[in-house]
Structures are given as C-alpha cells and as structure tokens.
Amino acid sequence: MKKLDKVSRLVLFGLASLLSVQMPLIAAQETIKIAVAGPMTGDNSEYGIGFDNAVKMMAEKWNADGGIDGKKIDVLTYDDRNSPEEGVSVANKILSDNVSGVIGHFASGVSMAAAPTYNKNKVVEISPSASHPDYSDIGEYIFRNNTVIEKEARASLDIAVNNFKKKKIGIISIKTDWGVSTSSVVKKLVEKMGNGVEVVAHEEVIEGSDDYSPAIANLASAGTEVVIVVGMYNLVAPVSRQYKQINPNVKIVGFSNAYSSQLLELGGPAVEGVAFPVIFFAESEDKNIKSFVEEYEEKYGSKPSALTAQAYDSAGILFTAIKNVGSLDSELIKNEIYKLEYDGVAGFTKFDEKGDVEKTFTKVVVKDGAFKLLKE
C-alpha cells in the first residue's frame, strides 16, 4: 500500500478533526442528556410535572432496552415558573448543561421567549403544547407536537355551535399572550360562520383570580348561551361554578389544556357538561393508549392529560431521531426529526417544513363526574 505523503496526512487529520467537532459520536458521551422545561411550581405546575413524568417514563423505557446505542438517557428538569423571563434564563442554563434536545416549554409565551436561544445555538426544542401561530416561525430547530390554535379553536366552536346548537357566544379569556391571541382567533372564526352565530360579549380576566363574577355578569347580561373559556382548567372550573350559580343551563366549552383530572377535582358537580376537543383521550380502547395510561397511573397516581401524552411522544420522537442518526450532531438530529413518521399514543406525527403537525381531535365532555366521548 502506498504511503501518504506528509501533506496528505495533515489534510486527512484536519478533516477527521473537523468531523469530530461537527458530528459528536454517541460513544464519546457518558450519558445522553435531555432537558425538560416547564412550570414545575406555581398555578400551572401540573403541566410541567406532567411533561417531566412523561419524558422520564419514556426514558426509563428506552434505558431498560439499553438506552441509545448503549448510552443511558439522563433527563434533566428545569422550572421556568411559566414566566417568559425565567424561560430565557432556563434556556441559557440548559445550553450550559450541554443537552442534546429540549422537551418544553408549556405556555406559548414562554416557549417563544426561549426558542430564539435554542435556535441560535442549534438545539432542538419540541414543545408539546405551544399553539401560538408564530412559534414555529422562530427557526428550523423549533418544533411543536401540538396543533396551531386556529385548528383547535375551530374544533371548540364546532362543539358550541353544532353539538350544543348555540349561536350567542360569550368569551372569557386570560390576559396572557396565548389568551389574547386565542380569543382574537375565536372572534375571527365566528365572524366567518354566519347563520346568526355571533360573539355577544368578551371579558378578559387575570389568571389565578378567585372571583370572576363581574365578568360573568357582563356575559350573562349580553344574552350568552355558550361560553368559550380561553384558559386552563384553573379558569374553566371556577367560571363553571360561578356561572352556573346564576344560570345552571349555560353551556361551557374549553380547550384541550382543560383536559385534566384537576378540572374534576376543582370543579366538582359544576363542571358537569363542560366539553372540549382533545388530541389524546385517556379512556380510549386502543391497546397502546390503554397500556400507556395504566403504566402512567400506576407510577404517578393520576391519568395523563392530552398534553402529557404529547410530551411522552415528543420524547420518543427525539430519542428515535438520535438513535437513527447515531450521532449527537444537532443538525443531523433536526433533519431526522423532519423526516420521521411517528405513531404514538397521541396519534400519528409528521412534522411539516415549519415544524408543525396535523392532528385529529376527539370531542370530550364531563358526564357523571368523568370524561366521556361527546356524542353527536
């Protein structure tokens, strides 16, 4: 075999060095670090804790099968307190901890505050819950395993108008980026519906308040027949309770973020009849979903919400991408995620060129103190 001259050896050495920097091998890592970011404390902590539980459960499943190329997956947890400012701080902390991907954040506003940091530094972020239309435009490393809010708002209105047969719509929304943008989307969709369907009143409230009676009084005086609640379970429950004290026949429609056991605990009999669209339904007879729900309930003492299921699938997508490319190179991982077709507990997932997904909604209603399918 012909020996390489000195110049050729130097060129090859340089190329090898360059490749080792751009394409870090899994074998060189002690563990594969994955971050989970969300509200682990505060009013919305159930969502962040659900994300953390789900990702750790998926990691345990992979680790029991040898991890990724024999390396253990190590899940690191970060509390962003559902604050955009804290979200940016957490994003910088995550970068310093050398993770290979991020599952989170929860709220669209926090996700959008943190995403530029991840994208600039070429770290994949998959939010299981961000629905603001501008979120995925932030960059090519930014994904959402959730639908854009217009599609979910359309599904909520479908329940209000076609299932409940109501035309006079009242909106009560939280004063957050997500609440403002979502209520605006609902109004625009109603304007296009025609057939006498109209928004008769809209009230904005501060998240976490205990008394919504002034807003409810305004909605009621406007002749509201069905209330679209743009908020989490901690808004849906008290609004339902307080509204039904003055009008027990009012219909309440929420969004998938209200689908939580906490809604039943906080609302009690007052949330009977509350309905919303969900991507994941824990009572499904599908064997994979039943297995996931049973395992989650056994480990954590409650049934997983739709967003928890989407976090579980998000982790599976990220782990699969890393395994498929056999590298921790972020560009390779990102490119593989765009190619993946993943059949998870929250349905089939295929990201488009923006990092968005299409999902099918199921209509759910609270009946006899439990979540049931809403029949046509």
Side-chain angles (χ1 to χ4, degrees):
M1 180 181 235
K2 184 178 179 180
K3 292 185 178 180
L4 295 173
D5 59 33
K6 183 176 181 181
V7 173
S8 298
R9 290 198 301 272
L10 288 173
V11 169
L12 287 175
F13 177 78
L15 285 172
S17 299
L18 181 61
L19 287 171
S20 69
V21 171
Q22 292 182 340
M23 298 177 61
L25 297 176
I26 290 176
Q29 306 296 313
E30 292 184 5
T31 61
I32 298 172
K33 297 179 182 178
I34 302 297
V36 179
M40 305 299 166
T41 55
D43 290 340
N44 294 294
S45 60
E46 185 190 355
Y47 298 105
I49 292 170
F51 287 2
D52 194 44
N53 290 344
V55 176
K56 286 179 177 174
M57 196 166 116
M58 181 61 82
E60 288 173 9
K61 178 181 175 182
W62 277 67
N63 286 335
D65 289 335
I68 300 177
D69 286 355
K71 295 298 181 180
K72 178 186 174 184
I73 300 167
D74 188 11
V75 178
L76 308 181
T77 308
Y78 302 82
D79 183 8
D80 65 21
R81 304 178 189 176
N82 213 37
S83 158
E85 294 79 14
E86 191 68 22
V88 174
S89 176
V90 162
N92 284 302
K93 178 69 167 64
I94 286 172
L95 292 179
S96 70
D97 288 340
N98 194 31
V99 305
S100 296
V102 181
I103 307 299
H105 298 240
F106 163 61
S108 289
V110 182
S111 298
M112 292 173 71
T117 300
Y118 299 130
N119 196 67
K120 179 181 178 181
N121 291 276
K122 298 184 177 181
V123 173
V124 167
E125 177 193 14
I126 307 176
S127 173
S129 52
S131 60
H132 193 288
D134 296 338
Y135 166 71
S136 55
D137 290 331
I138 290 172
E140 59 184 338
Y141 286 83
I142 307 304
F143 300 84
R144 75 167 111 228
N145 192 14
N146 192 27
T147 62
V148 293
I149 198 58
E150 181 176 343
K151 295 174 184 177
E152 187 173 353
R154 198 181 299 277
S156 291
L157 283 170
D158 185 48
I159 293 173
V161 176
N162 296 317
N163 290 92
F164 289 161
K165 310 298 182 185
K166 303 301 181 183
K167 292 187 175 183
K168 296 185 181 297
I169 297 171
I171 301 171
I172 185 166
S173 61
I174 52 175
K175 286 185 179 179
T176 64
D177 288 342
W178 178 81
V180 171
S181 63
T182 301
S183 58
S184 176
V185 166
V186 172
K187 288 179 181 178
K188 290 176 182 177
L189 289 173
V190 170
E191 288 174 2
K192 297 176 182 178
M193 296 184 80
N195 297 321
V197 179
E198 61 178 331
V199 173
V200 296
H202 174 207
E203 293 291 320
E204 290 186 311
V205 297
I206 301 298
E207 188 176 24
S209 173
D210 293 325
D211 183 10
Y212 300 105
S213 54
I216 289 170
N218 290 337
L219 293 174
S221 64
T224 294
E225 297 173 336
V226 57
V227 182
I228 304 290
V229 182
V230 182
M232 276 59 93
Y233 65 83
N234 55 359
L235 177 64
V236 175
V239 165
S240 298
R241 184 172 57 251
Q242 293 169 31
Y243 210 122
K244 288 184 177 180
Q245 289 174 354
I246 63 171
N247 180 4
N249 297 317
V250 70
K251 294 294 186 180
I252 308 288
V253 178
F255 287 78
S256 60
N257 51 20
Y259 179 45
S260 165
S261 59
Q262 289 293 100
L263 176 68
L264 304 179
E265 294 175 18
L266 291 174
V271 296
E272 189 77 6
V274 171
F276 35 77
V278 296
I279 293 170
F280 164 86
F281 183 46
E283 306 301 328
S284 170
E285 291 301 315
D286 181 278
K287 65 178 183 180
N288 291 329
I289 294 175
K290 284 175 69 70
S291 176
F292 165 65
V293 171
E294 288 170 1
E295 183 181 352
Y296 188 94
E297 196 167 12
E298 183 179 348
K299 289 178 70 68
Y300 302 115
S302 63
K303 289 185 178 180
S305 70
L307 299 182
T308 298
Q310 286 163 210
Y312 183 76
D313 283 353
S314 298
I317 289 166
L318 180 58
F319 300 165
T320 301
I322 295 172
K323 179 178 177 60
N324 285 356
V325 299
S327 168
L328 298 181
D329 180 81
S330 57
E331 184 172 2
L332 294 179
I333 296 169
K334 176 258 295 181
N335 291 341
E336 181 65 17
I337 290 174
Y338 281 111
K339 297 176 186 176
L340 274 180
E341 295 183 354
Y342 188 88
D343 193 11
V345 296
F348 176 80
T349 301
K350 176 74 174 73
F351 294 101
D352 65 16
E353 68 280 358
K354 290 181 62 178
D356 290 339
V357 295
E358 286 285 347
K359 297 283 186 177
T360 301
F361 285 101
T362 298
K363 298 174 182 178
V364 172
V365 65
V366 179
K367 184 177 180 181
D368 300 326
F371 295 116
K372 308 285 187 181
L373 290 176
L374 177 63
K375 297 180 180 179
E376 298 294 335

